[in-house]
Amino acid sequence: MQELLCELVSIPGTCGFEHEVARYLYNRLKDQADAIHVDGLGNVIVRRDGGHPGPTLMLSAHADEVGFIVKKIEKNGLLRFEKVGGHDDRTILNEHVIVRTQDGVLREGVIGCISCHMLRFDNPQLVRKHSEMYIDVGAKDAEGVRRLGIQVADPITWATPYRPFGENRAMGHGFDDRAGCAVLCKCLESLDFSQVHGTVYGVFSVQEELGLRGARVASQQIAADVALAIDTTAVSDTFEQMMDGTLALGAGVGIKAMDHSLLASVAVRRKLTALAKAHNIPHQIEVFCGIGTDAGEMHKEKAGVPTCTLSIPSRYAHCPYEVIDLSDLQATYDLLAQFILSMRSKEEFAFLG
């Protein structure tokens, strides 16, 4: 799965510009899918039919990542930019980025900052807003930017490559949520669906970082009996004052109870917990109101869908260098696989069941 994750994070896919990620996933899964299509918004929707009758399960992992977009080309060749998705302005100064041109060419840039030698003339407590920042792409003037093929509205992503890190961990950008995409993709292509009861729809959704938009559109196309999102979540195991130690890197897959977009189905959550215990899969229960996932849209569709989220613990989300533990990634895959294989009837997820 590391190789798959490495390939996925190497593809720029700023929110709204997920085209090449979608193309990769479509081409990888098309020969194994019972049906596959890309809808009008860009969601890749894959259907796998089980060998036995059973419920319809919708799974969603978002293919987009936070990034930026070119807003203005200044006369001196520097770029002004706008955020796409949630960023903390304190984390973006002097970072390495990639601008993807309309021709698909990748141009490197750096988010500029003043030299430390200028600090005595500045306010050291000042956190500059992104609107005051700029990106240097190595051009001498605006015409040089155009010669590089860069135009207003071109998407920008972090340039951080995937790297093995420390003791069975990985570092890179876009793990939110290419890690979830890797788990979902691996399940869709590696499980023996002749043993599955029911139908599984795997959705690689778009524009999650701008308000779960892809999940909303995809949910309207699938009459799901039960649903799971697969996403990353922020851990609380470091030293900052607000950290409470309730979620930790390396402690296993998170089974969502609550976030700001979802109160998880009790029946689905309890089944996931029972499966994790029965199969010795490391897990932790997640109550964290600072995050939302595709589940926030999936559970509201039609007459209501019993829904939960599997969370891959992550440090430094939405930053150039995210960190995950590969054992958590494996635990997420293992629990998702067991859930798919355990399905029998939609009645086991009923509210009064």
Side-chain angles (χ1 to χ4, degrees):
M1 200 149 44
Q2 290 185 60
E3 181 179 349
L4 172 55
L5 178 57
C6 181
E7 290 178 3
L8 284 168
V9 298
S10 72
I11 307 169
T14 302
C15 189
F17 298 88
E18 304 93 339
H19 304 71
E20 294 309 311
V21 184
R23 196 184 315 278
Y24 172 91
L25 291 164
Y26 182 94
N27 289 333
R28 181 168 180 132
L29 292 168
K30 64 182 180 181
D31 293 333
Q32 300 167 68
D34 293 287
I36 186 170
H37 75 281
V38 180
D39 68 18
L41 202 63
N43 297 306
V44 180
I45 301 177
V46 182
R47 194 188 83 223
R48 293 299 311 266
D49 296 332
H52 308 276
T56 296
L57 169 64
M58 179 179 175
L59 305 170
S60 185
H62 67 91
D64 61 313
E65 60 184 305
V66 297
F68 309 94
I69 189 171
V70 178
K71 183 176 183 178
K72 181 184 179 183
I73 299 171
E74 298 283 10
K75 291 180 180 179
N76 64 354
L78 300 175
L79 309 181
R80 297 292 188 177
F81 60 94
E82 188 54 75
K83 297 177 183 178
V84 182
H87 291 274
D88 182 342
D89 289 343
R90 295 173 297 179
T91 69
I92 65 180
L93 274 176
N94 203 222
E95 287 296 343
H96 188 189
V97 296
I98 290 175
V99 183
R100 183 181 178 86
T101 72
Q102 292 185 25
D103 295 328
V105 178
L106 305 181
R107 299 297 188 184
E108 293 186 276
V110 62
I111 298 177
C113 68
I114 64 170
S115 163
C116 67
H117 303 89
M118 297 282 189
L119 192 59
R120 71 180 68 181
F121 308 109
D122 193 32
N123 176 4
Q125 304 302 316
L126 178 66
V127 177
R128 285 184 170 79
K129 298 178 181 178
H130 77 280
S131 57
E132 300 175 292
M133 300 180 196
Y134 52 87
I135 294 175
D136 188 339
V137 292
K140 296 179 180 178
D141 52 28
E143 186 56 38
V145 174
R146 296 187 185 95
R147 285 194 295 270
L148 290 171
I150 297 172
Q151 303 178 46
V152 170
D154 284 346
I156 303 161
T157 55
W158 300 124
T160 320
Y162 177 96
R163 298 172 185 166
F165 182 56
E167 297 180 304
N168 199 39
R169 292 181 172 176
M171 175 173 63
H173 79 279
F175 291 165
D176 179 13
D177 183 33
R178 303 293 167 70
C181 289
V183 168
L184 177 54
C185 181
K186 205 67 175 176
C187 274
L188 291 172
E189 66 184 5
S190 65
L191 288 185
D192 180 1
F193 275 84
S194 70
Q195 303 301 311
V196 172
H197 291 248
T199 302
V200 176
Y201 285 89
V203 177
F204 300 93
S205 65
V206 295
Q207 297 191 38
E208 189 267 359
E209 299 292 0
L210 288 179
L212 318 182
R213 298 175 184 180
R216 180 178 183 181
V217 170
S219 296
Q220 295 169 359
Q221 303 169 59
I222 299 168
D225 297 310
V226 61
L228 294 176
I230 305 97
D231 208 336
T232 60
T233 194
V235 295
S236 54
D237 61 355
T238 51
F239 302 125
E240 291 80 3
Q241 184 176 3
M242 79 290 290
M243 297 300 187
D244 60 10
T246 55
L247 288 168
L249 209 64
V253 54
I255 301 174
K256 183 88 70 179
M258 178 184 177
D259 64 21
H260 82 74
S261 71
L262 176 76
L263 272 167
S265 160
V266 173
V268 179
R269 174 170 59 83
R270 286 178 176 171
K271 172 153 188 172
L272 286 165
T273 304
L275 285 168
K277 291 178 178 177
H279 295 276
N280 297 314
I281 299 170
H283 62 284
Q284 46 195 325
I285 303 300
E286 178 188 3
V287 178
F288 177 44
C289 293
I291 201 168
T293 73
D294 281 347
E297 286 296 333
M298 292 192 290
H299 78 284
K300 295 184 287 188
E301 188 54 36
K302 299 181 175 65
V305 181
T307 301
C308 194
T309 297
L310 295 181
S311 297
I312 303 162
S314 168
R315 285 181 184 159
Y316 325 126
H318 290 202
C319 295
Y321 303 89
E322 298 177 29
V323 172
I324 62 171
D325 192 298
L326 295 173
S327 68
D328 295 333
L329 188 71
Q330 185 64 47
T332 307
Y333 170 85
D334 291 341
L335 186 52
L336 179 59
Q338 290 300 329
F339 186 86
I340 293 170
L341 293 169
S342 72
M343 290 193 310
R344 291 297 181 271
S345 168
K346 67 179 182 180
E347 299 307 320
E348 63 184 314
F349 309 115
F351 191 80
L352 296 179

